[in-house]
Amino acid sequence: MTDHELDLRLPNDLAELDALSSRIEAFMEAAGIATTPAYRLQLAVDEFFNNAVDYGYPDGRAGEIGIEVRRVGDKLHLVFSDDGDPFDPFAAPAPDLDGALAERRVGGLGVHLVRTLCDSFAYAREKDRNVKRLTFALAD
Amino acid sequence: MIHIDRIVAGTIVVTAVKGRLDSSSSPKLEEFLAGAPSEGTILLDFAELTYISSAGLRVVLKATKLVRGAGGTLAVCGLIPQVHEVFDVSGFSSLIPIHPSREAALATMT
């Protein structure tokens, strides 16, 4: 059962971020999604969008980023896709979270947050696009 | 969208952040904190912070290193549950003291 859906196609430009987060926030409100799952999904889109724009198009070419959000039963489904260079963020090593403050490096922190806060995550390279599929439990 | 205020409470400098700390707004906090005295006791009041991403966490980490490097203390307070969760999952909760409210923080830090 799919009762609410959001389907966005955006250029790979960080100037889109403010409008994107507003669109997602409006969707979450309209779909009656609780604060915690809404926050977690917002964070996933934010981190993936930044990573895709910052690292996916090193030659500076124009690209297209797709964001689909669906509420299905008791889960939120996110499909995040981009036509940037192939990259599986979930294959990267987890950041060092136990080091002392002075040695602490926070590279990979965004992906670590996302994979920890979602219920399931998967990556595939499909039709020259990086496709990430995530689910989030709806319970607050 | 972000709004930053500095309030001096006795010997403690409180920086109150309102809104969202993401990649587009975090540089504003970074700039604000870089212009603040880094020695002494700094409290980041996040009671009206509705969102933080890894970009915001990086600024908090950088400020913490700066303040501790100068022999000072930095703490945060007033985290909403979702922001607190991000602090927990990132491991920041074990690095940076978190107080439930500004009042509780000021009582402890003074």
Side-chain angles (χ1 to χ4, degrees), chain A residues 70-84:
Chain A
R70 275 191 305 282
R71 178 184 174 169
V72 184
D74 62 350
K75 298 254 193 243
L76 263 182
H77 290 237
L78 167 68
V79 182
F80 186 102
S81 70
D82 64 76
D83 51 4

Side-chain angles (χ1 to χ4, degrees), chain A residues 3-72:
Chain A
D3 43 356
H4 286 89
E5 234 177 290
L6 181 72
D7 192 348
L8 302 172
R9 302 271 144 182
L10 300 170
N12 57 330
D13 183 345
L14 289 181
E16 300 286 338
L17 261 180
D18 285 347
L20 173 59
S21 63
S22 300
R23 289 285 297 274
I24 293 174
E25 205 172 304
F27 169 82
M28 295 297 175
E29 269 185 45
I33 308 296
T35 311
T36 295
Y39 188 109
R40 290 171 176 172
L41 187 135
Q42 183 81 256
L43 185 70
V45 172
D46 183 0
E47 301 289 352
F48 286 152
F49 198 92
N50 275 283
N51 286 349
V53 173
D54 288 345
Y55 306 112
Y57 307 87
D59 54 357
R61 69 187 184 277
E64 184 207 66
I65 293 175
I67 293 138
E68 294 165 44
V69 184
R70 275 191 305 282
R71 178 184 174 169
V72 184

Side-chain angles (χ1 to χ4, degrees), chain B residues 23-70:
Chain B
S23 60
S24 60
S25 61
S26 290
K28 291 187 192 101
L29 179 62
E30 187 168 5
E31 203 178 307
F32 188 92
L33 291 174
S38 52
E39 71 275 10
T41 307
I42 312 282
L43 177 64
L44 299 179
D45 186 341
F46 285 162
E48 291 187 84
L49 183 74
T50 55
Y51 178 86
I52 192 167
S53 70
S54 65
L57 288 176
R58 283 191 180 86
V59 172
V60 173
L61 182 66
K62 197 171 170 183
T64 305
K65 286 181 174 174
L66 200 70
V67 170
R68 289 206 189 148

Side-chain angles (χ1 to χ4, degrees), chain A residues 84-96:
Chain A
D85 292 355
F87 179 67
D88 176 1
F90 307 122
D96 169 26

